[in-house]
Amino acid sequence: MTPGDREAITDTVLRMGWFLDRRDWAGLRDLFTERVYTDYTDLWGGEPREGTVDQLLSTTAQGSWRRTMDGLEATQHLITNVLVDVTGDEARATANVLGVHRLANPHGSPLWTLGGTYEFGLTRTAAGWRINAITNRISWVDGNQQVLFRAAMAAAAKAA
């Protein structure tokens, strides 16, 4: 692994949180491979998913980032302490994450916050390092999880 690899992978991982919080869907799309494995089972239960990046960022697909995020007033994903391991054209990165989600609602606090880690799989492409897998491990949560459910419902209603 070169110092340039570590820097490029860390930059890709940090940009994911930055673009997500700004709802920069085109910027986010450019960070991923065409197919993406996601594991949010610590958060939602169920099974990990694999699909296209367009499904991940869809306005209509159940469990898509955009469907939930577009319904929120604001988010802040702080991704820190990125550790990187590279083997040839494949890499693994692990990082701490603090995600704050805000939506005023009639069912309690407007905030839902989680702390945990992201585990990323990345592939070197002609365009640079791209994320092909994300696993979210939850260490703790605080606040009102209704914020996410209500945001997804609001975004689905807008898309309909």
Side-chain angles (χ1 to χ4, degrees):
M1 172 175 54
T2 69
D5 286 336
R6 180 181 308 281
E7 182 179 333
I9 291 165
T10 299
D11 185 67
T12 298
V13 166
L14 297 179
R15 282 177 187 273
M16 187 193 81
W18 180 264
F19 290 154
L20 184 60
D21 291 338
R22 281 144 191 84
R23 311 303 186 260
D24 181 346
W25 305 115
L28 263 174
R29 189 184 193 297
D30 289 344
L31 297 178
F32 290 91
T33 56
E34 281 301 313
R35 295 206 54 83
V36 183
Y37 169 91
T38 57
D39 182 347
Y40 282 84
T41 56
D42 268 14
L43 178 59
W44 303 114
E47 298 294 324
R49 297 179 180 192
E50 186 169 351
T52 67
V53 65
D54 291 330
Q55 289 170 323
L56 179 65
L57 303 179
S58 166
T59 59
T60 58
Q62 180 83 17
S64 77
W65 286 4
R66 189 170 184 173
R67 182 172 171 176
T68 302
M69 294 297 130
D70 276 351
L72 293 166
E73 293 169 2
T75 58
Q76 188 170 39
H77 291 81
L78 303 176
I79 300 172
T80 64
N81 301 335
V82 180
L83 303 175
V84 175
D85 291 302
V86 176
T87 304
D89 290 335
E90 300 297 319
R92 305 289 308 158
T94 303
N96 288 333
V97 62
L98 176 68
V100 182
H101 308 79
R102 178 175 173 72
L103 178 66
N105 70 87
H107 299 287
S109 169
L111 295 177
W112 185 68
T113 304
L114 64 85
T117 59
Y118 276 133
E119 298 166 8
F120 296 94
L122 298 100
T123 299
R124 186 191 321 262
T125 71
W129 287 97
R130 298 295 180 256
I131 300 166
N132 61 32
I134 300 173
T135 298
N136 184 222
R137 301 282 181 225
I138 305 298
S139 299
W140 61 271
V141 297
D142 188 39
N144 182 2
Q145 193 172 14
Q146 282 292 319
V147 166
L148 288 187
F149 298 122
R150 297 188 68 76
M153 288 188 309
K158 282 183 196 175

